[in-house]
Amino acid sequence: MLFLPAAALCCLCSALVAMAAELIQDDLTLTRRAGETVSFSCGGTDQCFSGSPFVYWFQKKDTETFTVILDIDMTNGNIERRYNHSQKDDFSAVNKQNSSELLIQTVQLSHSATYYCACRKYDTHRNWYFIFGSGTKLYVDEQVVKPVVSVYPAAHLEGKSSLLCLASAMSPPLVQFSWKRQKKNGPLEDLPLAEGEQLELREPGRTIAILLLHQQENSTYKYHCYVKHEGVTAEAQTEQEVSALPPPVPSQYQVKLLCVLYTVLIVKSLVYCCGLSLLMILRNKGPSTNCTHAD
């Protein structure tokens, strides 16, 4: 078992990029003052029993690599701190139903970092691999400022409708976006994954989410933008109504261009046919001339 965390460290960076986060860490950020208590939650650990019954907790500081803090046995709650972490005695862990928690009883400034949970699974060929949570970043002695959330009217890009939601002036700077939609006189509902694609742009002091919509024809919805920050969800004060775009109609320029293209193709075909016919005529005329000279 000693070699597992070392192997995890070697493949952690590539695994985080190549694989979707399968363990659930709902908190993107947490902010505490020095001396307070903090806990990091990791859900979905019931799937870890298919590999080995251990949940590993990693720490990642901004200027350092991933380090293992501890692991906890999900069957009996035993904690193993054999990974030589410099602050291993500051951390503890507990098992909950289908989840694990990492605890810091007395937060210090040096605990500022991002914390990841991980566990091991087997594929169909009995080869093991690690699955991870998305990570929770701890800020210490930072002032919490709620985001200002704004949503802007729909724009039409390449035949698709889009909405822009802006979160700005927040501290810490990390936020999570989500969207809901509502038909006229209908209930508010979560946006289906198949009907929207979200792109995020992060700049100092603000984060922008662009929602590209794949609407069915003859559908009109009002869209609401939500921003989760430090465990609290804020909603934009306004919503935007978007109607499905009609099927694109070719412009007059496109029609003329198609006509020119087809005309060129027809002319090329005629030239080819005429040339081929001329070659056949010359070929048939050649043998008859030879016969006349033979007589």
Side-chain angles (χ1 to χ4, degrees):
M1 295 297 294
L2 288 174
F3 70 92
L4 293 180
L9 289 175
C10 294
C11 66
L12 182 57
C13 294
S14 58
L16 283 172
V17 174
M19 296 163 41
E22 296 185 40
L23 295 179
I24 302 167
Q25 291 183 260
D26 287 328
D27 295 315
L28 185 63
T29 64
L30 291 172
T31 301
R32 295 291 186 271
R33 294 192 178 279
E36 293 183 342
T37 300
V38 67
S39 64
F40 306 91
S41 178
C42 177
T45 56
D46 53 311
Q47 61 186 313
C48 302
F49 284 97
S50 66
S52 65
F54 297 95
V55 173
Y56 300 90
W57 282 97
F58 296 84
Q59 182 189 66
K60 172 68 175 69
K61 295 189 176 183
D62 291 340
T63 57
E64 299 178 11
T65 186
F66 289 86
T67 56
V68 188
I69 304 168
L70 55 79
D71 69 62
I72 181 170
D73 191 325
M74 291 180 289
T75 60
N76 55 29
N78 288 340
I79 299 173
E80 182 58 65
R81 297 183 177 87
R82 61 183 181 275
Y83 307 112
N84 297 323
H85 191 280
S86 60
Q87 297 173 307
K88 61 182 179 180
D89 294 330
D90 297 344
F91 298 89
S92 62
V94 294
N95 289 326
K96 299 286 183 73
Q97 184 177 5
N98 296 332
S99 67
S100 174
E101 286 190 2
L102 179 70
L103 308 173
I104 306 177
Q105 291 296 333
T106 305
V107 171
Q108 302 174 24
L109 185 60
S110 58
H111 292 142
S112 300
T114 304
Y115 294 87
Y116 296 88
C117 60
C119 71
R120 193 175 64 159
K121 288 185 69 175
Y122 283 102
D123 60 19
T124 55
H125 302 289
R126 298 298 295 171
N127 297 315
W128 64 265
Y129 60 95
F130 277 89
I131 59 174
F132 300 88
S134 55
T136 299
K137 187 164 187 176
L138 175 65
Y139 291 88
V140 180
D141 288 343
E142 292 273 350
Q143 183 181 5
V144 177
V145 180
K146 296 181 180 179
V148 177
V149 184
S150 306
V151 62
Y152 292 91
H156 303 302
L157 302 172
E158 299 181 355
K160 295 181 181 180
S161 298
S162 64
L163 290 172
L164 187 148
C165 188
L166 171 66
S168 60
M170 62 278 186
S171 179
L174 300 180
V175 295
Q176 290 174 309
F177 290 91
S178 60
W179 297 84
K180 291 188 178 183
R181 68 180 187 179
Q182 184 179 26
K183 274 191 174 181
K184 185 176 182 181
N185 300 324
L188 199 62
E189 62 183 22
D190 292 329
L191 180 67
L193 294 177
E195 296 197 16
E197 178 184 357
Q198 180 171 285
L199 306 175
E200 289 190 15
L201 302 174
R202 294 187 179 182
E203 299 178 355
R206 63 182 179 179
T207 301
I208 301 169
I210 301 173
L211 179 66
L212 302 178
L213 295 170
H214 313 289
Q215 282 185 287
Q216 298 178 357
E217 292 185 21
N218 302 320
S219 63
T220 300
Y221 289 94
K222 287 185 177 179
Y223 290 85
H224 301 250
C225 176
Y226 297 86
V227 173
K228 186 177 180 181
H229 179 258
E230 286 289 302
V232 178
T233 300
E235 180 184 1
Q237 295 300 310
T238 58
E239 68 274 353
Q240 295 296 329
E241 184 172 283
V242 179
S243 299
L245 295 175
V249 179
S251 65
Q252 185 178 3
Y253 173 77
Q254 290 176 317
V255 172
K256 290 182 178 179
L257 184 62
L258 287 174
C259 290
V260 172
L261 178 62
Y262 282 123
T263 301
V264 171
L265 291 175
I266 291 172
V267 171
K268 287 179 67 176
S269 298
L270 290 174
V271 170
Y272 176 78
C273 291
C274 292
L276 187 61
S277 300
L278 182 61
L279 288 174
M280 293 296 294
I281 292 173
L282 293 176
R283 182 180 178 184
N284 293 333
K285 186 177 180 181
S288 60
T289 304
N290 293 336
C291 290
T292 304
H293 285 295
D295 292 338

